[in-house]
Amino acid sequence: MIDDSAWSRQISLELSQQMAGYASPSNEKSFLYKALGTSLAVCQDLVHVKSQLQQFLTTTDYMEVPERQDYHRGKRGKTLSTLMLTYSSVAVHAPKDQLLSRVEADITGNILLHYRTSCQVLGITVANKDMYLKLTLIHNVMEISCAILETRDSQEFEFSYKLELLGYMLDFIKRNHWIPWHLQFATRQFLPLDI
């Protein structure tokens, strides 16, 4: 029997190597990126996931015309969203006995780093107008909260990002009247208003 984590690591390495053989704007390369994201989402080796994501971010040549055009047409938001979803998926699939020690610094901290990055233009913080990224953050909060609730010590756990995440969620409700039911689920499940 093959260890799932070892298999996920190996398939993600192979997909990364295969990408070099395809031109940037191609259906094949797009498929490889999606497959790589899926394999990283199920990989339980956080160190491997971080290294693969770091490699992806550092090897993309944004000065190449096709890469730069894609990046400015929304690829940046999609990249940030994919990274955020990968981290919350790690929380869902992480061993429950190890989750609480890693959920703040290694998972939620990185999600918020990428979300905050999406709110900056030339180093200046601006309101995030990308609805897909907002919905991604909502999805992250729901996945992380469900993962934490499945742990043995969830009742005693003090989540340091609780107020910050609650602030984002309440801001979404104020600015977008059509999504409160998503937020009500997340706030009731994980971010109770008894702060």
Side-chain angles (χ1 to χ4, degrees), residues 165-184:
L165 291 171
L166 183 59
Y168 285 125
M169 303 296 253
L170 292 174
D171 184 56
F172 295 164
I173 291 172
K174 288 178 197 170
R175 295 177 190 266
N176 305 289
H177 302 290
W178 59 270
I179 57 173
W181 66 271
H182 291 286
L183 299 174
Q184 288 173 6

Side-chain angles (χ1 to χ4, degrees), residues 85-138:
L85 290 170
T86 301
Y87 279 110
S88 66
S89 185
V90 167
V92 169
H93 294 87
K96 299 306 173 208
D97 60 329
Q98 297 175 17
L99 177 65
L100 295 181
S101 66
R102 311 293 289 235
V103 73
E104 291 189 298
D106 294 328
I107 298 173
T108 309
N110 283 312
I111 288 170
L112 287 172
L113 172 72
H114 295 304
Y115 183 76
R116 288 182 203 121
T117 300
S118 74
C119 298
Q120 292 193 352
V121 177
L122 300 174
I124 300 170
T125 302
V126 296
N128 189 334
K129 297 190 188 299
D130 187 338
M131 188 54 61
Y132 188 70
L133 273 169
K134 290 178 181 182
L135 292 173
T136 298
L137 185 62
I138 292 168

Side-chain angles (χ1 to χ4, degrees), residues 45-55 87 105-106 110:
D45 182 352
L46 188 59
V47 172
H48 175 73
V49 172
K50 277 182 141 177
S51 71
Q52 286 292 294
L53 292 175
Q54 185 66 31
Q55 179 185 355
Y87 279 110
D106 294 328
N110 283 312

